[in-house]
Structure formats: C-alpha cells, structure tokens
Amino acid sequence: MSYQLSSPFSFPVSPAANDPAQAIWRPWMRRALQLAALGAGRTSPNPMVGALVLAADGQLVGEGYHARAGEAHAELGALAQAGERARGGTLVVTLEPCCHQGRTPPCSRAVIAAGIARVVLAMADPNPLVAGQGMAELRAAGLEVIEGVCGAEAQALNSAFCHRIATGRPYAILKWAMSLDGRTALPNGVSQWISGPAAREWVQQLRARCDAVIVGGGTVRADDPLLTSRGRRSPEPLRVVFSRSLNLPPGAKLWQTELAPTLVVHGLAAPGRRRFQLDGLGVERLLLEPCEPGTLLEALARRGINQVLWECGPELASTALRQGCVQELAAVIAPKILGGLPARTPLGELGFTAMEQLPGWRSQPPEAIGPDWLWRLQLPAGQPPANA
C-alpha cells in the first residue's frame, strides 16, 4: 500500500555509505518500521513490512507498507509511488525482499526491474523459502545490499512471525485480570467487572493485534464472552474454543459467526450428539488427538496464524504454561480486594516444588491504565517450559 509522502527528514545519501552501523541509514529505517507497524493484526501469515525509496539525490520519492495478506507487498507500493525516480536510487526495507511466487509475484525481481542501485534492509527473512536467497538474487544482479540496519527493532516488530517460523507454533500471550489480592472472581463466581473501562479497552486493542483468541469450555459456560475487538480489526480475530468434551451452551454468543469466525477444538471423547449440535449451528470444529494446547497451537500455525491470545481459565492457562505454549504474560491488576476461600485465582497447579524451577520471566515496567495497573512479562528465547 502507498499513500501521500510525509517524511520528517530528507537529506542526501552518500554512495559510499555502505556500513550498516552508520547513522545515515537509521532515520530512514525507523520511518520504514513505522510504516510496517501500520499493518499490525492484518498481515498474517505474512510479516509486517515497510519500505521507502530514495532517489539518486537522496530525496524521498516513495513509501509503502504491507497492509493485508494477499495485497501488494511494501516494496511494490513504494516502487509504484516512486516510478522512474526509483532508477539509480535506494530501497530501504524492513525485511529481505521475497524471491518466490506466493499470493503476489517475487519482490526481488520487481526491485531489480525498477533500476534500484542499493537495498538497505533491517533483517533477513527467516522463512526457508527466502532465507538469504532474496539478497543473493539482488547482489547477483549487481545491486549493493546493506544488512542489519535497526535489526533488533525489526526483530521485535515481527517477533510473532519469527517465532512461528522457528517453532511451528504462534507466539502466545496469556492475559488475565485480577484483584490486588490475586482473585479473578468473587466467591460466588461473579467476575464482571474486576478491571475498569480503560483496561477493557486495552484488552480489545490487544485482541486486534492477535490472529486468534483462545478460551476453554469453562469460560464459555461461566462468562458467555463475545471475544471480539469491537471493530478495531477487520476481519475480527478467530475465536477458538478448546473443549475436549464439547460441554458447551447452545446459545453462546460465540456461535454468532456473522460477527467473527469461531473454531471449536475437541478430542475423540466428545460425544457424537454434541458434535452434531455444533455442526447444526454452522460452527467450524476441529478434532485433535491428542487434544492439548501444544497440538492446538501447531494446528493454528498451519492456518498461518502468527500470534494468539489466551483468555482462558486457570486449568487451561496452567496446562498451556506447563507445555511451553506461552511466551508472554499480561496481568491487569485492579485496586480491589475480593477475598474468599478457596480463592479463585488466574492459575492452577504448575508443578513447582523448588524456587530454582521457576522460569526467568523478564518484566517490563508496570503501566497505569485508568485506575488499574498492567504488568507484562516475557519469557526470553530458549527458556524451557514452566515445569521443565
């Protein structure tokens, strides 16, 4: 996608500036990263990509970003806007141009055909169909290729895509809201609303950045959630119900598939009459064996899903953690005291018997959202599952 140019900087590019560490390229790459982020939540199974074209005299003449899977890639949008002014110029792009035929033609060939003299990129494409071959094709055609400009920022932007390519599973966030004393509901089960309106709006924005939202059957029975972004994303994320037994209410809001797609995942033990009932509602269902969080994520990855959000109860959340199916935690903490024994808590048994077994979550600074606090933690790459 391309649009009206609006860059805050424009300065000549030295033909000799071929060191990716030189500061001359970083402002342009940061602008390309800003463009890439405009596609958040809409590009899966593809990554987010932004690109811009600098004419031979260093002036910005084209910008583009990948807006949606199946639509033009960022490079093509930037080159189309630049036109003949791209000849002899520089392409700044956040990801290695693709060199294979997918839903759209190879970008590497379009870059060469446009007469670009230099390509500055942030990172190689981890997809095995590309993985350096795009750069090799550009160099073989005589283009200068500069790698690694703002590489860490580019990796962070597409961490979900990179995680899926590397592991065969989507990047997964586990979210819950709880009181200051660690409760997720009153003793009688009432849980709406622990958090305030600002925090609930933040959750809807988080859903809009994810490709799927996962709950268990218990959450459907207790809360009857809608699980949409309330229009912040189109199409809405896939709503996934994980239920081995298919003990689900026939009038649940999730069966309103005109609002958002719904997938129900179950095991072999699910009775045939319940399967038939779901089929009659027009809801897609998937039989998995074994029916576990790990196999569910693998199935979602095969559908091209890069990032998922677990919004489930304590039993499923704990199982997902034990199986290494969570890379990030997001806990909304409300300034309320709910009390109650036994406590209703966000997590069940994780199997720890010693402090040394606890995984080393990396914490971000807490953030105020209205009267509530958001605490986010990430599991560093290579960390084992929760009870390994």
Side-chain angles (χ1 to χ4, degrees), residues 232-248:
R232 290 170 175 79
R233 169 184 168 143
S234 180
E236 290 281 355
L238 176 68
R239 303 177 298 185
V240 181
V241 180
F242 182 91
S243 175
R244 294 186 179 93
S245 66
L246 289 185
N247 180 19
L248 303 167

Side-chain angles (χ1 to χ4, degrees), residues 346-384:
L347 296 175
E349 181 59 56
L350 290 176
F352 298 128
T353 57
M355 289 295 180
E356 292 76 16
Q357 296 174 331
L358 304 182
W361 294 94
R362 184 174 59 236
S363 176
Q364 298 181 16
E367 176 186 349
I369 305 181
D372 306 316
W373 286 91
L374 170 65
W375 203 316
R376 302 188 74 164
L377 299 91
Q378 287 182 308
L379 195 64
Q383 279 276 348

